[in-house]
Amino acid sequence: MRRLRMIVLAALILLAYLPPLQAGAAELNTEQKFQFLRDKGIFTGFADGTSRLGDPMSREQFAAVLFRLWELREEPASPVYSDVLKTRWSFGEIQAVTKSGLMKGMGNGKFAPLTNVTVEQLAAVLVRAYGNSSAGS
């Protein structure tokens, strides 16, 4: 029951956060929606020019999206996680979302950047972002 409430809450928060996208979203196909978010600087796509929208999103990709959505800043810092080195493309974004409290590690000093983000993690981040500090993951 708690899981269902979290999913519903996350969906409601997400819909409330993107009202301009809602208005015309019905007329747009998936690639056009991606292009809209790319134009806003939220998504960047991949080096080969594809969006890979059919692929699962990794935790580091989600961290990068959150970094852009919440307009966080990269700050020089020592690595928080042993599996996210300073040379990793997502280092700054992961450090920033961790410092902001939006995302947490997976335990034992690891972030697990290549692990797929789960619906539960998405819901926890959205609840945390909107002021409920009791959310897990």
Side-chain angles (χ1 to χ4, degrees), residues 67 72-76 89 91-93 95-96:
F67 177 84
L72 301 175
R73 294 183 329 181
E74 285 188 43
E75 297 178 20
W89 73 266
F91 174 79
E93 289 92 339
Q95 293 283 111

Side-chain angles (χ1 to χ4, degrees), residues 1-124:
M1 187 63 158
R2 180 175 180 211
R3 179 178 174 191
L4 178 60
R5 280 189 297 219
M6 293 294 284
I7 292 170
V8 170
L9 178 60
L12 290 173
I13 290 171
L14 187 57
L15 290 174
Y17 187 78
L18 299 172
L21 183 58
Q22 283 179 300
E27 297 86 37
L28 301 177
N29 66 34
T30 303
E31 201 60 39
Q32 290 169 321
K33 291 173 187 174
F34 169 78
Q35 191 59 46
F36 174 86
L37 293 169
R38 186 177 187 162
D39 292 347
K40 297 290 184 191
I42 305 303
F43 287 173
T44 59
F46 290 85
D48 64 3
T50 63
S51 60
R52 299 186 193 167
L53 294 175
D55 293 354
M57 181 179 274
S58 70
R59 287 176 48 82
E60 73 182 332
Q61 291 168 330
F62 185 48
V65 169
L66 288 172
F67 177 84
R68 294 181 201 113
L69 272 174
W70 267 264
E71 299 175 344
L72 301 175
R73 294 183 329 181
E74 285 188 43
E75 297 178 20
S78 298
V80 174
Y81 304 107
S82 62
D83 59 346
V84 182
L85 303 177
K86 284 187 173 187
T87 54
R88 187 169 197 86
W89 73 266
S90 58
F91 174 79
E93 289 92 339
I94 290 171
Q95 293 283 111
V97 297
T98 298
K99 183 176 180 183
S100 73
L102 289 171
M103 288 184 81
K104 298 179 181 180
M106 300 294 285
N108 297 324
K110 298 199 182 286
F111 185 79
L114 298 177
T115 302
N116 294 337
V117 67
T118 66
V119 173
E120 292 84 2
Q121 291 167 351
L122 170 66

